[in-house]
Amino acid sequence: MAVVGEIGRAEARAPSGRRASTPDPARAAEVAGPAALLGGLVVLCSFNGGGFFAGTPALVAALLVLGLVARLTLARMPWAGLHRPSAVPLVLFAALALWVLASATWGVTPRALLEFDRVLAYALTFGLFASAPSSSARLRALLWGVLGAATLVAGFALVSRLLPDVLPTRDKLAGDRLSYPLTYWNALGVLMAMGAVVGVHLASDLRVRLAGRALAAAAVPALAVTLYLSLSRGSIGVAILGLLAYLAVSRPRGAAGALLALLPTTLVALVGAYRGDKLTTFDFATAAGQRQGHRAALVLVVAMALAALLRVAAGRLDGRLGSLAPSPGARRRGRLGAAAAVLMLLAALVVAGVPGRIGHQVHGFVYSGNQVRHDNDPRARLFDPGNNGRIEEWRVAWHGFTSSPLRGTGAGTYAEQWQRRRPDTLTINNAHSLYLEILSELGLVGLALLLGGILAAGIGVARRIRGPERGLYAAVLCVGGVWAIHAGVDWDWQMPAVTLPVFALGGAALARRSEAAAALAVRRPLVLGRVPRILGALVLLLLAVLPASVGLSQRSLNASAAALRTGDCQAAATHALDSIAALSVRPQPYEILAYCDARDAPGLGVTQMQRAVTADPEGWQYRYGLALLRASAGLDPSAALAKAAELNPREALVRRVERSFAGVTDPRERRSRALNARLPSD
């Protein structure tokens, strides 16, 4: 019985939904701890560029390794949650990480290592949350962790836009679309979409206390307004799909009370934000924009308070619906009625000509061109079907796949494929489609591992959508569906802030249930001895070596680049050497050393830049830098310039320098022109 108690007790609940037993601090920690960890990771990534840049995935992976080591060494049965439904996706995700690492042998080594950290972080997230036995309370707490993190991010995002005098931000790329703090509007939008699905579920779940339902309801208007201000068409679309799918699949009894509270208040909040036309322009921080922002903020606060109050007022309706216990015949009639309602809805859509309008939008997406037109009103982009360059990006990814169908061109190499084949001068680092980018970079093997893991996890969660916790697993499945669909048209995979929650929820939902784990512990205890624990901990710590090296290297590299921008070459060189000491295969620190040596020791600069070229032979900027360093040393730069032009034919900087050096043979003139040329980072 001690083992049973350690693994986790089945939730004992009174008919009202409240716990019948007295609170257990240890049990509360088991439930709240994972939720706090997940929420903390989402917030950490969100305020570090969404987790896009190299240092953040490395830090997350290292933290997760430490979490697994702690579980392995402290828990009596550390892998009690693992069984076939959770083990199969875990094995596939781990195999994908190894395949990414293996691609360093045929791709670009430093890029593959950085991508390995990202995939490793996702596999570790799934493994950590799948290793502990599952319970309704724990899974529900994780959903609260996701909602709390999304709401916190939304709060900061809204303050930066509606109250710019309180939290000023600067976004030179697309200031009309809200992107702070993730720095990418579509990633912010999909995080809000996932949070909205969770918020509607928790506001509808009668197993959540009424105060909790009111709190969840209050969060939804804020999430909706943040989603709108991102002007992310794809995120808004998947949010609608996710919410409709959740309501159709789960059919929560508390949906009536939740929708009565949410629909009018969310609409009021959205109208209040929409009326501020400057809130979706670069003028949101002007005096007129601030006045509009303050009014929208006041409307939003009132709407959130009303949502909570209306949800409390609808509690009596919840009580009546929750006390109903439909018979099997009534349930069958309900399913038939739901099917009839769906058929009627489809018929109404056909009569209204909706399929034709959808076809028109699809045709516009494919043939209307790359640009999304909004006639000087950025809000109009929400109704424009333009593909915004997606088709060309997908063509380049497909070309990478056809050049190496089985194994791809190597992890992290899409940017080079784009530079070689781009139709214009736009710089793109990702294919805006997880599945096509994986197909391009990792071939059929990589796509099979990825899709196999996603489908295995999705099917496993779908099979649990039954019984009294139908809505709980439906919410997890719909959050994953929102992410999986949106990842097909954007680069959510590169943003751990929006991808980590999906892997965590999937792992927790597929873990062996607490009751089954307790019964297994009685029949066949899976208790590990000291030696296996120590060996396992050492293996896990070895996994952390590469992420730790990348993190240390990135920290020094950031400091080096900052020093170079201020002209402090002594500090830049010191930090660059520290970066090389942490991880010697990256080209950037050698590039910085080369530029610092350009004036006083051009020969040494050539050597350092050649090392950067060796580390990343597909990087045009290192070939360009090598040409400048050779010219500064009085050598012929033409071969290096020609290679840079081959790698990036549309780069204006390369063409300009080619013209500058054409016909110049005097070493002193070459040096003078090289020292006055622009650097790639200028």
Side-chain angles (χ1 to χ4, degrees):
M1 294 302 293
V3 175
V4 175
E6 182 181 9
I7 293 176
R9 309 174 187 85
E11 287 185 280
R13 294 183 177 273
S16 63
R18 297 183 180 180
R19 288 193 179 99
S21 58
T22 58
D24 182 354
R27 173 66 174 168
E30 289 178 3
V31 170
L37 173 62
L38 176 56
L41 289 176
V42 173
V43 171
L44 171 67
C45 292
S46 296
F47 285 88
N48 284 276
F52 177 83
F53 299 102
T56 306
L59 175 61
V60 170
L63 291 174
L64 290 168
V65 166
L66 293 179
L68 281 168
V69 168
R71 177 161 182 80
L72 178 61
T73 55
L74 299 178
R76 180 177 176 81
M77 296 174 60
W79 312 122
L82 288 179
H83 60 153
R84 182 179 298 176
S86 56
V88 170
L90 177 59
V91 169
L92 291 171
F93 292 140
L96 177 62
L98 292 177
W99 186 247
V100 169
L101 187 60
S103 73
T105 61
W106 65 80
V108 179
T109 300
R111 295 180 182 274
L113 296 183
L114 299 184
E115 291 304 315
F116 170 74
D117 280 355
R118 197 183 317 274
V119 184
L120 177 65
Y122 298 150
L124 290 172
T125 299
F126 189 93
L128 178 60
F129 285 88
S131 63
S134 172
S135 70
S136 299
R138 185 171 297 165
L139 189 55
R140 189 171 289 111
L142 288 178
L143 290 175
W144 276 112
V146 173
L147 179 61
T151 305
L152 179 64
V153 170
F156 277 89
L158 289 170
V159 170
S160 73
R161 181 54 54 111
L162 304 182
L163 305 173
D165 48 326
V166 176
L167 181 59
T169 57
R170 178 179 297 180
D171 186 351
K172 297 180 180 179
L173 180 61
D176 53 342
R177 287 169 274 179
L178 180 58
S179 62
Y180 178 83
L182 277 77
T183 70
Y184 183 41
W185 46 93
N186 288 341
L188 177 65
V190 77
L191 180 61
M192 297 301 105
M194 293 160 57
V197 172
V198 175
V200 170
H201 162 68
L202 293 173
S204 307
D205 188 356
L206 298 187
R207 287 172 174 76
V208 175
R209 293 179 183 274
L210 184 57
R213 279 173 265 161
L215 189 63
V220 172
L223 299 172
V225 171
T226 306
L227 174 58
Y228 156 68
L229 291 174
S230 72
L231 297 181
S232 175
R233 299 173 298 165
S235 300
I236 293 173
V238 295
I240 295 171
L241 287 176
L243 290 169
L244 291 176
Y246 167 75
L247 293 173
V249 172
S250 67
R251 303 190 298 274
R253 295 187 183 180
L259 294 179
L260 285 173
L262 291 176
L263 288 178
T265 54
T266 302
L267 181 61
V268 166
L270 288 171
V271 170
Y274 187 83
R275 292 181 64 184
D277 61 307
K278 295 187 181 299
L279 300 179
T280 52
T281 69
F282 285 87
D283 298 329
F284 70 91
T286 62
Q290 289 187 37
R291 286 194 296 271
Q292 292 182 356
H294 292 171
R295 285 196 296 269
L298 178 60
V299 172
L300 175 59
V301 170
V302 172
M304 293 172 66
L306 283 176
L309 291 174
L310 288 173
R311 192 65 192 92
V312 172
R316 181 170 297 181
L317 176 62
D318 293 337
R320 291 178 179 177
L321 293 175
S323 63
L324 297 177
S327 64
R331 284 195 292 267
R332 283 194 298 271
R333 289 192 297 273
R335 284 193 288 267
L336 290 174
V342 170
L343 291 175
M344 292 175 62
L345 176 61
L346 291 176
L349 292 176
V350 171
V351 172
V354 172
R357 296 179 185 178
I358 294 176
H360 174 72
Q361 292 290 315
V362 172
H363 183 275
F365 181 85
V366 176
Y367 297 107
S368 67
N370 292 340
Q371 296 300 318
V372 176
R373 297 173 293 275
H374 48 68
D375 299 326
N376 298 321
D377 185 356
R379 295 174 298 183
R381 77 182 310 275
L382 295 175
F383 308 102
D384 190 289
N387 61 66
N388 210 25
R390 296 289 198 273
I391 302 296
E392 291 296 335
E393 294 158 16
W394 296 344
R395 285 196 183 113
V396 170
W398 183 258
H399 189 281
F401 162 67
T402 57
S403 66
S404 182
L406 185 62
R407 66 181 190 179
T409 58
T413 58
Y414 175 81
E416 280 71 35
Q417 295 291 322
W418 174 258
Q419 288 168 3
R420 284 176 179 268
R421 300 177 176 86
R422 58 181 176 168
D424 49 40
T425 58
L426 186 64
T427 298
I428 297 291
N429 292 317
N430 304 105
H432 285 79
S433 172
L434 166 61
Y435 313 112
L436 284 172
E437 185 164 340
I438 289 289
L439 193 63
S440 175
E441 296 182 350
L442 299 174
L444 290 171
V445 174
L447 184 65
L449 293 173
L450 173 70
L451 290 181
I454 292 175
L455 290 174
I459 292 171
V461 175
R463 294 180 64 181
R464 293 196 169 189
I465 301 178
R466 62 186 68 172
E469 294 294 356
R470 177 189 189 94
L472 185 61
Y473 290 96
V476 173
L477 182 64
C478 291
V479 167
V482 165
W483 173 86
I485 295 172
H486 193 267
V489 295
D490 222 309
W491 37 281
D492 302 331
W493 183 259
Q494 285 76 20
M495 302 293 279
V498 301
T499 302
L500 283 173
V502 176
F503 279 76
L505 291 173
L510 292 174
R512 181 184 280 115
R513 290 187 175 93
S514 298
E515 299 88 342
L520 179 65
V522 174
R523 298 195 313 269
R524 181 165 48 89
L526 302 176
V527 180
L528 291 178
R530 179 177 300 177
V531 173
R533 289 175 186 269
I534 293 174
L535 292 177
L538 290 176
V539 171
L540 288 171
L541 289 174
L542 286 175
L543 283 177
V545 170
L546 180 57
S549 300
V550 170
L552 293 173
S553 171
Q554 187 66 34
R555 185 177 65 175
S556 298
L557 182 60
N558 291 342
S560 180
L564 182 65
R565 285 193 293 269
T566 63
D568 187 354
C569 260
Q570 183 176 356
T574 299
H575 291 301
L577 291 173
D578 291 339
S579 180
I580 293 171
L583 190 66
S584 62
V585 298
R586 304 184 70 183
Q588 295 92 337
Y590 295 111
E591 180 188 27
I592 292 175
L593 289 174
Y595 285 132
C596 284
D597 292 333
R599 290 186 180 275
D600 299 329
L604 181 58
V606 171
T607 301
Q608 297 289 11
M609 192 62 76
Q610 186 60 58
R611 291 175 178 170
V613 169
T614 302
D616 189 354
E618 298 298 313
W620 73 270
Q621 64 271 37
Y622 309 120
R623 303 281 185 169
Y624 173 84
L626 180 61
L628 295 185
L629 268 295
R630 286 183 61 84
S632 69
L635 304 174
D636 184 9
S638 58
L641 273 176
K643 186 63 177 179
E646 176 189 337
L647 294 172
N648 197 349
R650 293 185 179 273
E651 178 53 53
L653 197 59
V654 175
R655 296 198 301 271
R656 188 181 304 122
V657 172
E658 277 186 315
R659 290 193 298 268
S660 175
F661 284 113
V664 177
T665 58
D666 181 45
R668 288 176 297 180
E669 183 62 21
R670 284 176 176 170
R671 175 175 172 80
S672 174
R673 296 192 181 193
L675 293 176
N676 289 310
R678 286 184 57 192
L679 302 183
S681 58
D682 287 349

